[in-house]
Amino acid sequence: LISCKEISKIYKMGEVKIKALNNISLEISKSQFISFIGPSGSGKTTMLNLFGVLDKPTSGILKVIDTDISKLNYVERAKFRGEHLGFIFQNFNLIPVLTVFENVEYPLIMVKSIPPKERKEKVLSLLDEVGMLDQKDKLINQISGGQKQRAAIARALTTDPKIVLADEPTANLDHKSAFKVMSLMRKLSHEIGTTFIFSTHDPKIVQEVDIIYTIEDGVLVNREKRSKK
Amino acid sequence: LISCKEISKIYKMGEVKIKALNNISLEISKSQFISFIGPSGSGKTTMLNLFGVLDKPTSGILKVIDTDISKLNYVERAKFRGEHLGFIFQNFNLIPVLTVFENVEYPLIMVKSIPPKERKEKVLSLLDEVGMLDQKDKLINQISGGQKQRAAIARALTTDPKIVLADEPTANLDHKSAFKVMSLMRKLSHEIGTTFIFSTHDPKIVQEVDIIYTIEDGVLVNREKRSKK
Ligand SMILES: Nc1ncnc2c1ncn2[C@@H]1O[C@H](COP(=O)(O)OP(=O)(O)OP(=O)(O)O)[C@@H](O)[C@H]1O
Ligand SMILES: Nc1ncnc2c1ncn2[C@@H]1O[C@H](COP(=O)(O)OP(=O)(O)OP(=O)(O)O)[C@@H](O)[C@H]1O
Ligand SMILES: [Mg+2]
Ligand SMILES: [Mg+2]
């Protein structure tokens, strides 16, 4: 589903070059639960931004859903993301002046030709799954940190994407909400084959995934296949 | 140091009233490590915003450092915060177009008449303590989530505040960075008597504090004094 060969990402800041990712090669299969772990600043978000076609590698070959990402222009990348991918950003990226409902509904309006009635049912059902139904008409700047995180999670899932990139999706959640979110994701993975790729420091996520990649200083240092109970 | 009697906070949204905090009474002593825990949306951030004089209670009496907060106007509250308090916000609230160094230095410039040389030493020393020295000249929009969190932590500590309000300060940190931050806070608490008030879901913080308050649906449901080893 995703394959990267010798992927590097270099940020230029004037004279200075920062190698955020250094020759990473790996493959991810359909319907898997994958997690990237590693110290703060190690390159996890950068990795997810590449897989999520939000950014291009500086060198190397990256294929997502059989598509060579370097061959797409800006508009094609946006279209590709809208059709196939879902994002839970580390800082949520919700629209503060829209309601929870409007934020979660947004990708569905943009991307697919789904009748309003069906769209509404989809949004309400996901909000219910993340325990946010009673908050649906509040503005984003009127809810708590964990409520924003759950709205961001619901939004990532509305279009039934093939791949969900989840950057620290439980960082602001209590245990109960975190487990609820993980079982929702497991359910989607079983029912529609969604592939989930996490960047996380949360052991509750790491203990649930199939494959754990460890990154340190932009280098892939370990790959662990977890044995399922 | 802080005392609240029958504190309530009600948010009005048109016709709807939301009781975010419901008749909370408690007292906090100097130099303690206090944590508020509870489900997402339970009222922890609201509580910290009141203690941090960022917001006023709807009813009840709140005293912070012997001052009745309801007696202060907007300008006086800003001055009070600048002189006595430090904040680590749940969403960091850093200035994206300034560097890490500039963000951490900012409260020192605003509040105290400290010579530039001494100010620079203070900022560099704190950046070193949170492992951010090599990132000091990068803009906030050029660093990782956990790096932003550590910059926010350093910024909260530059003015040697009497009370630090820390809202989920380790949510985006790996274990090693989180422990480093907790020992820095312990050190400050011993050396200069800083009181730390946390809102958190992180067991690593909860196991380090002296007193744990549990909030559910805006109501204080438990107070636990932890026995020190
Ligand atoms: N400006 C506002 N207007 C209306 N309701 C609000 C506002 N700010 C917060 N609330 C509501 O008050 C309640 C408490 O919010 P608060 O941010 O204190 O929760 P929290 O315990 O910090 O949650 P989390 O763990 O998710 O960060 C929530 O239900 C939230 O939706
Ligand atoms: N736009 C940028 N310009 C320069 N350097 C950057 C930029 N974005 C990220 N970096 C650097 O690249 C490195 C990797 O960043 P990344 O955000 O991927 O880390 P991370 O593993 O997600 O960390 P965290 O756990 O703290 O979120 C960091 O050292 C960061 O400072
Ligand atoms: Mg990150
Ligand atoms: Mg909060």
Side-chain angles (χ1 to χ4, degrees):
Chain A
L1 193 66
I2 293 181
S3 87
C4 47
K5 285 197 179 67
E6 300 292 311
I7 291 293
S8 287
K9 179 69 189 176
I10 298 176
Y11 291 110
K12 286 208 197 67
M13 293 163 29
E15 293 287 315
V16 181
K17 281 191 186 177
I18 298 198
K19 205 159 197 177
L21 294 176
N22 196 351
N23 282 335
I24 304 222
S25 298
L26 57 84
E27 297 202 358
I28 294 175
S29 319
K30 191 172 183 300
S31 305
Q32 280 189 322
F33 260 46
I34 313 282
S35 184
F36 286 85
I37 63 175
S40 170
S42 54
K44 305 180 295 297
T45 293
T46 303
M47 196 82 254
L48 257 63
N49 288 346
L50 291 183
F51 291 155
V53 190
L54 283 164
D55 194 8
K56 292 201 297 188
T58 311
S59 61
I61 302 184
L62 173 61
K63 288 209 172 103
V64 180
I65 310 177
D66 304 321
T67 310
D68 182 343
I69 300 309
S70 59
K71 301 271 183 308
L72 303 179
N73 65 35
Y74 184 83
V75 174
E76 289 165 334
R77 286 208 297 279
K79 191 165 179 297
F80 183 90
R81 288 195 305 266
E83 283 176 21
H84 304 296
L85 310 176
F87 299 86
I88 303 163
F89 294 96
Q90 195 164 4
N91 60 351
F92 316 147
N93 280 8
L94 296 161
I95 304 170
V97 296
L98 294 182
T99 66
V100 169
F101 184 94
E102 289 165 341
N103 266 276
V104 176
E105 187 191 32
Y106 197 84
L108 269 178
I109 302 178
M110 290 293 115
V111 181
K112 319 219 167 194
S113 48
I114 298 182
K117 182 164 172 300
E118 203 171 315
R119 210 166 58 211
K120 183 174 180 179
E121 281 174 26
K122 180 80 183 184
V123 173
L124 292 180
S125 138
L126 274 167
L127 283 176
D128 194 23
E129 296 262 16
V130 298
M132 283 290 290
L133 203 50
D134 60 346
Q135 305 285 327
K136 68 177 176 65
D137 297 322
K138 289 173 82 174
L139 301 184
I140 293 300
N141 58 21
Q142 290 174 328
I143 61 178
S144 79
Q147 289 169 338
K148 285 173 190 156
Q149 191 144 45
R150 286 181 278 154
I153 291 165
R155 181 181 64 172
L157 304 173
T158 34
T159 53
D160 291 334
K162 298 184 185 61
I163 307 171
V164 173
L165 293 312
D167 204 340
E168 308 273 8
T170 55
N172 286 281
L173 300 181
D174 55 287
H175 271 248
K176 199 148 157 261
S177 305
F179 278 122
K180 211 165 162 179
V181 155
M182 289 308 287
S183 24
L184 167 62
M185 292 177 173
R186 261 300 173 203
K187 183 170 93 163
L188 289 171
S189 166
H190 286 143
E191 287 181 7
I192 55 182
T194 316
T195 304
F196 282 88
I197 304 176
F198 300 95
S199 150
T200 191
H201 298 296
D202 187 350
K204 294 193 288 298
I205 292 185
V206 179
Q207 74 195 18
E208 291 291 318
V209 301
D210 307 316
I211 309 224
I212 302 165
Y213 286 101
T214 308
I215 289 186
E216 279 173 28
D217 285 324
V219 177
L220 203 60
V221 300
N222 194 33
R223 176 188 189 277
E224 180 188 330
K225 200 171 161 71
R226 277 197 58 254
S227 46
K228 292 282 199 42
K229 356 180 188 27
Chain B
L1 192 67
I2 294 181
S3 86
C4 46
K5 286 199 177 64
E6 301 291 311
I7 291 294
S8 287
K9 180 68 188 176
I10 298 176
Y11 291 110
K12 286 208 199 67
M13 292 162 30
E15 293 286 316
V16 180
K17 280 188 183 177
I18 299 200
K19 205 160 197 176
L21 293 176
N22 196 350
N23 281 335
I24 304 223
S25 298
L26 57 85
E27 298 202 356
I28 294 175
S29 319
K30 191 172 182 301
S31 304
Q32 280 189 320
F33 260 46
I34 312 283
S35 184
F36 286 85
I37 63 174
S40 169
S42 55
K44 305 181 296 296
T45 293
T46 303
M47 194 85 253
L48 257 62
N49 287 347
L50 291 183
F51 292 155
V53 190
L54 283 165
D55 195 8
K56 291 202 296 189
T58 311
S59 61
I61 301 183
L62 173 62
K63 288 208 172 104
V64 180
I65 310 177
D66 303 323
T67 310
D68 183 343
I69 299 310
S70 60
K71 301 273 185 307
L72 303 180
N73 64 35
Y74 183 81
V75 175
E76 289 165 335
R77 285 207 300 277
K79 189 165 182 296
F80 183 90
R81 288 193 306 265
E83 284 178 20
H84 303 298
L85 311 177
F87 299 86
I88 303 163
F89 295 95
Q90 196 165 2
N91 61 352
F92 316 147
N93 279 8
L94 296 162
I95 304 170
V97 296
L98 294 182
T99 66
V100 169
F101 184 95
E102 290 165 341
N103 266 275
V104 175
E105 186 190 34
Y106 197 84
L108 271 178
I109 303 177
M110 290 292 116
V111 180
K112 321 220 166 192
S113 49
I114 298 181
K117 181 163 173 299
E118 203 169 316
R119 209 165 59 209
K120 182 173 179 181
E121 280 174 26
K122 179 82 183 181
V123 173
L124 292 180
S125 137
L126 274 167
L127 285 176
D128 193 23
E129 297 262 15
V130 299
M132 284 290 289
L133 203 50
D134 59 346
Q135 304 287 324
K136 69 177 175 65
D137 297 322
K138 289 172 82 173
L139 301 183
I140 294 300
N141 58 21
Q142 290 175 327
I143 61 178
S144 78
Q147 289 170 339
K148 285 174 189 154
Q149 191 145 43
R150 287 181 278 155
I153 290 165
R155 180 180 66 171
L157 304 174
T158 35
T159 53
D160 290 334
K162 299 185 182 62
I163 307 172
V164 173
L165 293 313
D167 204 340
E168 308 272 10
T170 55
N172 285 281
L173 300 182
D174 54 287
H175 271 246
K176 199 148 158 263
S177 305
F179 277 122
K180 211 166 164 178
V181 156
M182 289 308 287
S183 27
L184 168 62
M185 292 177 172
R186 261 299 172 205
K187 183 170 95 165
L188 289 170
S189 168
H190 286 143
E191 288 181 5
I192 56 181
T194 317
T195 304
F196 283 87
I197 305 176
F198 300 95
S199 150
T200 190
H201 299 295
D202 188 351
K204 295 195 287 300
I205 291 185
V206 180
Q207 73 194 17
E208 291 290 319
V209 301
D210 307 316
I211 309 229
I212 301 164
Y213 286 102
T214 308
I215 291 186
E216 279 174 28
D217 284 325
V219 177
L220 201 60
V221 300
N222 194 33
R223 177 189 190 275
E224 180 189 331
K225 200 170 162 73
R226 277 195 60 253
S227 48
K228 293 281 200 47
K229 0 180 190 19

